[in-house]
Amino acid sequence: MKVMAHYFALIVLLALVVAAPLAAQSTQQQQQQPPPPAKQPTPAQPGATGTSLPDQPAAPPVNKEEEDAYKLFLDTKDDKAKVQMGESFQEKYPTSRYRELVFASLSGAYQNLGQTDKMFAACDKTLEINPNNVAALVTITKGLARLTSPDALDAQQKFDKVEKYGKQALDLLSNLTKPEGMTDEKFETVRTDALADIHSGLGLVYLKRQRVPESIAELDQAVKVTKSPDPVDFYLLGLALQATKRFDDSASAFKSCAEATSQLQDACKQKQAEAQKQAAAAPKPAAPAPPKP
């Protein structure tokens, strides 16, 4: 089952934002490694013509094979190939400085292949390495919210996890620093799309927990904060508004959903018509009494 398909690129980019210092550190280390000490001549020995001291041991070289495997993994677009390469990388380089980014990127590939259990497992491994990896926190927040039934035996534990991780990710995003080489526009797109996904996950969990006013507040943010809102969030917002008898607002949310090309388009048109009928049938507030003379 595929979820959050519109933001696979976001997860990869966000992982790069978080892990970019690792790549910079690698380059810096290569540049800062001191050259091997120059050979100094030894005093002439009887019978010798001027030999040199043995070479001093140089600093350990960067593992070029590991670096090349890491770069090839990031550049690979095919999800099946990416999974094979990523799993092979983690097995071959279990202590690599790039393990965090590889796991975070693998979660997106697993997602696209419908392997959601592996997606969440990769996110958990990412967070074991770095509890503040924003990409993993965002994936879990929206993924668990969408894929967890309120009737599941562990639903409440998973919903608690969504709330915890979602709030943690919001705090981290407020202090996220743009990496070198990324444009301001691209960074802002990554950041606002991530915010939308977090608000979406929180809004859906609140709706499933019947905390409707909180759900409306989060889903309203989800559709407003990004330039490319998810039609699902408009649909969920319409349901939440409908539940509070705000039928005009509900019809407006369903209308926005119906205007986007998605699998929900027909359902949103039907819900829009339903909310419009409910709005027309709802009793109108009484006009205020005229002021007394």
Side-chain angles (χ1 to χ4, degrees), residues 223-235:
V223 299
K224 286 181 177 178
V225 74
T226 176
K227 294 181 180 179
S228 53
D230 187 345
V232 174
D233 292 330
F234 277 120
Y235 179 79

Side-chain angles (χ1 to χ4, degrees), residues 221-263:
Q221 284 296 305
V223 299
K224 286 181 177 178
V225 74
T226 176
K227 294 181 180 179
S228 53
D230 187 345
V232 174
D233 292 330
F234 277 120
Y235 179 79
L236 296 173
L237 179 59
L239 292 178
L241 291 166
Q242 197 173 31
T244 58
K245 301 186 185 303
R246 292 170 56 181
F247 300 123
D248 286 326
D249 293 336
S250 175
S252 178
F254 287 130
K255 180 176 183 292
S256 295
C257 173
E259 289 173 346
T261 302
S262 74
Q263 294 179 341

Side-chain angles (χ1 to χ4, degrees), residues 23-253:
Q25 179 184 6
S26 171
T27 302
Q28 187 178 24
Q29 285 177 347
Q30 294 179 58
Q31 293 173 345
Q32 291 179 349
Q33 282 180 3
K39 297 179 180 180
Q40 300 294 331
T42 59
Q45 300 294 328
T49 57
T51 58
S52 301
L53 288 171
D55 290 345
Q56 297 299 317
V62 174
N63 188 330
K64 185 177 185 304
E65 182 182 1
E66 177 186 337
E67 297 285 338
D68 290 345
Y70 161 71
K71 292 175 182 176
L72 184 60
F73 166 79
L74 285 186
D75 292 339
T76 300
K77 306 302 181 186
D78 181 77
D79 291 311
K80 289 184 178 179
K82 198 172 192 72
V83 164
Q84 292 176 350
M85 295 173 63
E87 291 176 349
S88 175
F89 183 94
Q90 301 291 30
E91 182 178 348
K92 189 170 183 179
Y93 307 107
T95 60
S96 171
R97 72 187 73 185
Y98 301 118
R99 290 178 66 243
E100 177 188 347
L101 177 54
V102 173
F103 275 128
S105 299
L106 272 174
S107 69
Y110 287 134
Q111 170 198 312
N112 273 8
L113 294 173
Q115 300 175 4
T116 53
D117 288 342
K118 288 187 175 182
M119 177 187 78
F120 289 126
C123 287
D124 288 338
K125 290 178 180 177
T126 303
L127 294 174
E128 287 176 9
I129 301 169
N130 176 12
N132 290 326
N133 184 289
V134 185
L137 293 171
V138 172
T139 305
I140 291 176
T141 297
K142 192 170 185 180
L144 275 185
R146 293 254 176 125
L147 294 173
T148 302
S149 167
D151 298 327
L153 295 177
D154 59 349
Q156 297 311 311
Q157 292 91 328
K158 289 182 176 178
F159 291 162
D160 288 342
K161 191 173 183 179
V162 168
E163 288 196 54
K164 175 185 175 182
Y165 283 2
K167 292 173 181 178
Q168 181 182 350
L170 288 176
D171 289 339
L172 291 169
L173 280 171
S174 66
N175 297 307
L176 195 64
T177 303
K178 181 176 74 70
E180 293 184 11
M182 181 177 285
T183 66
D184 291 342
E185 181 181 3
K186 189 64 176 179
F187 177 72
E188 187 62 12
T189 298
V190 170
R191 191 185 70 83
T192 55
D193 284 356
L195 286 171
D197 289 328
I198 296 166
H199 288 302
S200 173
L202 290 172
L204 180 52
V205 161
Y206 291 147
L207 187 60
K208 290 181 176 180
R209 284 184 153 173
Q210 299 182 6
R211 292 158 57 180
V212 181
E214 292 172 271
S215 174
I216 291 173
E218 293 293 342
L219 292 169
D220 186 60
Q221 284 296 305
V223 299
K224 286 181 177 178
V225 74
T226 176
K227 294 181 180 179
S228 53
D230 187 345
V232 174
D233 292 330
F234 277 120
Y235 179 79
L236 296 173
L237 179 59
L239 292 178
L241 291 166
Q242 197 173 31
T244 58
K245 301 186 185 303
R246 292 170 56 181
F247 300 123
D248 286 326
D249 293 336
S250 175
S252 178

